Amino acid sequence: MDYLPLFVDLRTRKVVLIGGGVVAARKAELLLKAHAALVIVSPELCPQLQQEYQQQKFIWLQHDYQSHHLNDAYLVIAATDDGKLNERIFHDANERKIFANVVDDQPLCSFIVPSIIDRSPVIVAISSGGTAPVLARLLREKLETMLPTSLGKMAEIAGRWRGKVKESLTNLRERKRFWEKSFSGHFASLVENGQLSAAEQQLERQLYQQDNSGELILVGAGPGDAGLLTLKGLRVLQSADVVLYDHLVSEEILELVRRDADKVCVGKRAGNHSVSQEETNELIVKYALQGKKVVRLKGGDPFVFGRGGEELQIAAQAGIPFQVVPGVTAAIGATAYAGIPLTHREHSQSITFITGHCRDEGAELDWQALSRGNQTLAIYMGTVKAANISQQLIHFGRDRETPIAVIGCGTRRNQKVVTGQLHELDTLAQQAPAPALIVIGEVAALHHQLAWFGQQTEDIRWRSAVLELA
Ligand code: SAH
């Protein structure tokens, strides 16, 4: 290890910054954040530093540098564009045994400044030891996405509760278990959602009432491409104890689940249930009552033809805390990747999401309303009933030559789009791989003009970056 990472308390300690340009301004910003007693030595200041000087944020010595400026300093940063001067500052500091940093000149540094993720009081510092600062910055960007902004708040509350927890749980192992459960369980979810007093109540329950409740989180996985999962969804997947997932959830997304989590397939396809909804409900309740963080991972969005509402009702009845992380629904994702805008000023003023798979025969759709022009219909689970759908729409007045598209495996690498006219729907629906979405309306014709395929490589890269960190 070439450098020892330290977190230094600079509050009211003198730090001398030599230089008054934009580079110095960047360093000044950081030092002021850490409440250092900042002294800037420079004949001139850039506009930003001028402004801060006016706000009395630091002491300005409007001189050329002299070694006595370093007296009583704890740290020195040289940010001038004069190489010889920087070198002199470094040697002066070394003589006085003051840690010194010449910006972007590693040999002239007795300390280096890391890339920082600030979730105060939690701070993550990353360094490549001066060899590849850009790499350290890239790593920081990746970690940024994985650490919720609420992390600092969580640490702050935990800091306040530390004494009480120590008093109540005298055994070290018990305390460790308590905090592990808190930081990955319902307490963490409540803090992330900004429900701070409920979060503290949850800690209290856990501490004094031996609360062992788990929780249920419905997560929308999107239509397939892992890049479409939300950051929140990803974080939830990485802290789950059990993940109950559908057939519709892609392999790519399943790879993002925490390695130690139990993964249970409760898949079902329209009309071909492998695990009944009742069994899924029972599993949710069973695991949650064991104190587990249960993630119900659903294709697309949990509330769009996903029976998410029913599962939440079951949780509510059983007194299990729950939350929902929305996802990109198939009609949004698949059409975007197929180059079919759902609305268009010239062609379509509204969009309707419909299921072609009704619960009961006779629960008929309002064909008359659906047959009007200037609107887009996005039909889920519609391929089996495709013949009936086109007959009804034509019967009630929609032009038989209305453009249509059937998008199979939307957003996935094997996405297939077939297009034609409304009267051909039945034949076309058989040509697209499952799962398939039917789009009816003039906008479907825009596929030929707007189809694009550039996105996949980008998302695969993103996914492998996340996997490296998992
Ligand atoms: N909750 C899901 C929908 C579940 S219903 C969502 O919000 O997307 C299942 C239907 O969704 C399938 O029959 C199909 O019509 C559609 N679907 C789901 N994923 C799809 C995909 N990748 N491409 C095309 N259609 C898809």
Side-chain angles (χ1 to χ4, degrees):
M1 187 159 68
D2 292 331
Y3 294 87
L4 176 72
L6 295 173
F7 289 85
V8 179
D9 180 4
L10 285 183
R11 212 170 282 261
T12 70
R13 293 202 162 90
K14 178 174 168 182
V15 177
V16 180
L17 174 62
I18 300 116
V22 283
V23 178
R26 270 207 309 274
K27 297 294 165 195
E29 194 182 331
L30 198 62
L31 292 166
L32 290 172
K33 243 185 172 177
H35 309 283
L38 179 62
V39 176
I40 295 186
V41 181
S42 173
E44 287 163 358
L45 293 183
C46 68
Q48 189 191 330
L49 285 175
Q50 275 285 358
Q51 202 180 358
E52 285 169 355
Y53 175 64
Q54 246 120 63
Q55 295 162 355
Q56 302 186 326
K57 291 192 172 168
F58 54 80
I59 293 170
W60 179 20
L61 303 180
Q62 196 176 2
H63 303 295
D64 286 329
Y65 164 78
Q66 292 182 11
S67 58
H68 69 83
H69 290 142
L70 303 187
N71 289 352
D72 303 324
Y74 284 78
L75 288 182
V76 175
I77 297 182
T80 81
D81 49 11
D82 177 344
K84 283 234 151 38
L85 175 60
N86 285 343
E87 206 167 320
R88 208 179 104 208
I89 296 166
F90 177 67
H91 289 301
D92 288 349
N94 258 348
E95 237 166 57
R96 289 171 164 73
K97 305 197 169 39
I98 303 170
F99 279 106
N101 175 293
V102 175
V103 177
D104 283 340
D105 196 348
Q106 195 204 353
L108 297 184
C109 286
S110 51
F111 76 91
I112 52 178
V113 184
S115 280
I116 293 167
I117 301 169
D118 187 359
R119 300 280 190 278
S120 287
V122 176
I123 291 171
V124 182
I126 304 153
S127 163
S128 64
T131 55
V134 177
L135 189 69
R137 219 175 308 138
L138 279 179
L139 191 58
R140 192 201 74 189
E141 281 163 20
K142 280 173 196 156
L143 287 172
E144 283 272 10
T145 62
M146 309 203 59
L147 303 175
T149 43
S150 58
L151 199 64
K153 201 81 221 151
M154 191 149 79
E156 191 193 308
I157 297 175
R160 267 192 280 116
W161 277 73
R162 239 179 121 187
K164 277 191 245 181
V165 173
K166 214 165 175 180
E167 229 169 65
S168 174
L169 304 173
T170 47
N171 179 321
L172 187 73
R173 272 240 302 285
E174 268 180 348
R175 282 205 298 275
K176 186 167 163 262
R177 219 175 303 133
F178 172 85
W179 285 121
E180 275 172 1
K181 181 173 164 50
S182 304
F183 292 146
S184 60
H186 190 46
F187 164 70
S189 309
L190 288 167
V191 178
E192 191 166 352
N193 292 337
Q195 295 168 270
L196 300 183
S197 48
E200 298 214 33
Q201 279 162 16
Q202 172 65 19
L203 279 190
E204 193 162 320
R205 264 199 306 277
Q206 265 172 240
L207 192 56
Y208 301 119
Q209 297 170 15
Q210 302 299 311
D211 174 285
N212 191 32
S213 62
E215 64 175 327
L216 168 67
I217 307 179
L218 298 189
V219 175
D225 181 352
L228 295 179
L229 184 68
T230 63
L231 288 178
K232 190 163 181 173
L234 174 63
R235 285 201 293 268
V236 169
L237 289 186
Q238 303 236 312
S239 63
D241 294 316
V242 187
V243 176
L244 306 175
Y245 65 95
D246 282 357
H247 272 312
L248 277 177
V249 176
S250 69
E251 277 298 317
E252 265 183 85
I253 301 258
L254 286 174
E255 281 179 51
L256 299 173
V257 172
R258 187 169 74 93
R259 299 212 193 297
D260 295 337
D262 291 334
K263 291 188 237 174
V264 185
C265 179
V266 291
K268 48 182 170 290
R269 292 202 171 101
N272 175 23
H273 290 208
S274 42
V275 176
S276 71
Q277 186 64 47
E278 287 66 34
E279 287 170 282
T280 303
N281 295 349
E282 278 165 25
L283 284 176
I284 290 173
V285 173
K286 182 182 104 179
Y287 288 123
L289 292 183
Q290 286 171 1
K292 299 205 161 125
K293 182 169 189 166
V294 183
V295 172
R296 178 73 177 93
L297 184 60
K298 289 168 169 292
D301 178 87
F303 278 179
V304 179
F305 306 126
R307 302 188 74 169
E310 292 168 49
E311 289 172 7
L312 290 193
Q313 284 170 316
I314 297 291
Q317 277 159 18
I320 297 162
F322 55 81
Q323 60 171 316
V324 184
V325 180
V328 175
T329 188
I332 302 288
T335 53
Y337 278 44
I340 299 174
L342 288 173
T343 66
H344 189 288
R345 281 215 302 196
E346 283 164 32
H347 308 297
S348 170
Q349 276 66 50
S350 70
I351 152 85
T352 310
F353 294 175
I354 305 162
T355 170
H357 176 76
C358 289
R359 187 170 169 171
D360 307 307
E361 287 303 326
E364 274 293 315
L365 295 162
D366 182 354
W367 294 111
Q368 190 134 26
L370 296 175
S371 301
R372 281 187 216 119
N374 282 328
Q375 62 170 327
T376 310
L377 308 180
I379 308 179
Y380 292 70
M381 296 174 278
T383 49
V384 177
K385 300 256 177 79
N388 181 47
I389 291 167
S390 73
Q391 276 160 19
Q392 294 286 2
L393 290 173
I394 292 167
H395 173 75
F396 280 94
R398 191 97 197 217
D399 188 337
R400 64 194 302 278
E401 288 176 6
T402 305
I404 61 162
V406 186
I407 311 168
C409 295
T411 80
R412 302 180 186 194
R413 256 159 279 175
N414 55 339
Q415 169 175 300
K416 184 174 175 194
V417 184
V418 286
T419 56
Q421 298 182 339
L422 183 53
H423 63 95
E424 303 165 314
L425 178 60
D426 190 24
T427 330
L428 296 184
Q430 315 313 321
Q431 292 171 15
L437 181 88
I438 298 171
V439 183
I440 298 174
E442 283 66 22
V443 288
L446 292 171
H447 162 73
H448 299 288
Q449 204 183 340
L450 303 179
W452 59 276
F453 302 99
Q455 198 149 337
Q456 300 292 21
T457 37
E458 184 66 33
D459 285 310
I460 289 160
R461 251 191 287 139
W462 180 86
R463 189 195 62 152
S464 46
V466 172
L467 278 179
E468 272 164 34
L469 293 171

